[in-house]
Amino acid sequence: MRIVIVFLLVLLGAPSSAVGQAARWVVRSLPQADLWYAGLAQLPFEGFSGLPMYSTEYAQTLRDAKRMARIQTRLDTERAALHAAIARDSAFEVLHFVPIYFVGTDRAGMFAALRAVAAGEDPASLSDPHARFGATFLAAVLPTNEQRAVLGRLTAAMEDEWQRFFGRWWTQSAAERSRQADSVQTVWDAVLAEWVEPLLTRVRLDTGLIVLSPALGSEGRIYAGRPEDRADNVVAVRLPTGAAGAAVAAVSIVREFCHPWASTLIAERGGADSRARAQTSSRLAVRCGAILLESAPEHWRDTYVRAYAGSRKLTEALPVDPSLLDALRDRLAVP
């Protein structure tokens, strides 16, 4: 599903100013991304990847906070029904990527577009080109009345979540999130970019937006946009809580840049079912990140391994066919 999504996005072509004209990768925290991913984490809604799509710890923190405040949102009361409706249709895998499609607009613009798609309105009627782009894509992936009805219920639940609880939660933690984003930006610019930028420049992925979200799990998101447009690339990664959160977020960026190469290799080999391919490409992307960081300072290599394998070795935690690793090294032109 991930490869199909990227292919359709390239065909549609995101507006070139979706992430601005930054000269480098810029790190940000976005309220609409945090809200959307926090909602999916609470359902919960996992994908086919072998890595967690969402943070169960963060989802539990939100549920505990609402319980202590005696707040019950529409997302809470409709959780089971929404989870069942989404889980029985693989087309809803697209929901994992929704905030990436609307990076150029704000929370209000994104949800207005989602309501328009759910109501069956023509996306062309939206005045915001960034909202129109996301709505056009979602309308193509979710064409049936039944699918759009589910999208409408989920959108309404997310908006209620923001109004009754999450908006205040997000605002109260804004200063800390900004500090963490600055820390990730510093690590990326001063340390990690050096080991990845030559490759990214080669494939015109040398600038874009990095979205941080505490609701995400170790499986991040990437939209590698049109090759001729250097400003429409978006990566989303987890931002774990705690002292090591910024460091884990920074190394996670490297892994996300690897996903297009890993997915392409797995797709070229074919075979197996979609779930098996997704799991293999996910593991291969992790191993790819380790390859790119082989010459990086030891501290960051160790941080990367702990982020994906804990106390184990990557070869034990995430085994990959050696022939795939060889093919990946050839593709990356890494000895």
Side-chain angles (χ1 to χ4, degrees), residues 193-238:
E194 175 183 351
W195 310 102
V196 183
E197 278 186 341
L199 176 65
L200 298 181
T201 300
R202 197 173 79 207
V203 295
R204 301 182 70 83
L205 276 174
D206 50 355
T207 183
L209 181 69
I210 296 167
V211 178
L212 304 177
S213 178
L216 288 175
S218 49
E219 181 70 61
R221 319 286 191 268
I222 183 170
Y223 165 42
R226 297 170 297 174
E228 69 274 14
D229 188 343
R230 299 183 97 131
D232 66 347
N233 309 302
V234 185
V235 167
V237 296
R238 55 180 163 165

Side-chain angles (χ1 to χ4, degrees), residues 295-306:
S295 299
E298 182 179 4
H299 168 74
W300 295 106
R301 298 199 309 269
D302 291 345
T303 299
Y304 185 87
V305 172
R306 287 195 301 272

Side-chain angles (χ1 to χ4, degrees), residues 11-317:
L11 286 180
L12 285 170
S16 61
S17 59
V19 296
Q21 300 297 326
R24 71 195 199 286
W25 283 91
V26 178
V27 180
R28 292 285 184 271
S29 177
L30 300 177
Q32 63 267 34
D34 281 344
L35 169 62
W36 188 263
Y37 287 138
L40 294 184
Q42 290 178 80
L43 288 182
F45 179 45
E46 288 291 335
F48 291 166
S49 169
L51 299 176
M53 299 289 285
Y54 300 99
S55 168
T56 56
E57 179 183 3
Y58 185 71
Q60 188 60 53
T61 296
L62 295 178
R63 286 193 289 267
D64 290 345
K66 283 189 282 188
R67 185 170 59 252
M68 291 183 64
R70 297 183 179 180
I71 295 173
Q72 188 173 53
T73 67
R74 184 168 174 176
L75 190 67
D76 298 320
T77 58
E78 298 188 23
R79 180 183 298 135
L82 285 169
H83 178 271
I86 292 170
R88 62 173 170 255
D89 187 344
S90 63
F92 286 118
E93 289 286 309
V94 72
L95 298 178
H96 297 305
F97 302 86
V98 162
I100 289 177
Y101 310 152
F102 294 95
V103 160
T105 189
D106 58 12
R107 180 182 57 83
M110 173 176 136
F111 277 90
L114 293 176
R115 290 195 301 272
V117 173
E121 298 174 11
D122 184 356
S125 64
L126 295 169
S127 59
D128 183 343
H130 305 298
R132 188 164 60 243
F133 165 75
T136 300
F137 177 68
L138 283 179
V141 178
L142 304 174
T144 71
N145 291 335
E146 182 179 1
Q147 289 169 329
R148 294 184 181 189
V150 173
L151 176 64
R153 288 168 54 199
L154 179 62
T155 298
M158 295 280 197
E159 291 191 287
D160 180 72
E161 184 79 4
W162 178 268
Q163 293 163 4
R164 302 185 61 192
F165 168 73
F166 196 80
R168 184 168 62 254
W169 172 277
W170 196 89
T171 300
Q172 289 172 345
S173 58
E176 174 62 13
R177 266 195 322 279
S178 178
R179 185 193 65 77
Q180 290 176 313
D182 289 344
S183 296
V184 175
Q185 185 78 68
T186 297
V187 171
W188 179 256
D189 290 342
V191 183
L192 297 178
E194 175 183 351
W195 310 102
V196 183
E197 278 186 341
L199 176 65
L200 298 181
T201 300
R202 197 173 79 207
V203 295
R204 301 182 70 83
L205 276 174
D206 50 355
T207 183
L209 181 69
I210 296 167
V211 178
L212 304 177
S213 178
L216 288 175
S218 49
E219 181 70 61
R221 319 286 191 268
I222 183 170
Y223 165 42
R226 297 170 297 174
E228 69 274 14
D229 188 343
R230 299 183 97 131
D232 66 347
N233 309 302
V234 185
V235 167
V237 296
R238 55 180 163 165
L239 178 63
T241 57
V248 171
V251 297
S252 297
I253 298 167
V254 179
R255 186 263 181 188
E256 288 314 304
F257 283 132
C258 278
H259 214 292
W261 284 280
S263 296
T264 299
L265 275 175
I266 299 304
E268 289 173 354
R269 292 207 168 193
D273 59 33
S274 58
R275 184 179 294 272
R277 289 196 302 272
Q279 292 175 349
T280 302
S281 64
S282 182
R283 291 196 301 270
L284 185 60
V286 175
R287 301 293 296 275
C288 168
I291 290 172
L292 294 181
L293 292 176
E294 283 176 340
S295 299
E298 182 179 4
H299 168 74
W300 295 106
R301 298 199 309 269
D302 291 345
T303 299
Y304 185 87
V305 172
R306 287 195 301 272
Y308 292 101
S311 60
R312 302 168 67 189
K313 296 180 179 179
L314 279 180
T315 53
E316 298 172 352

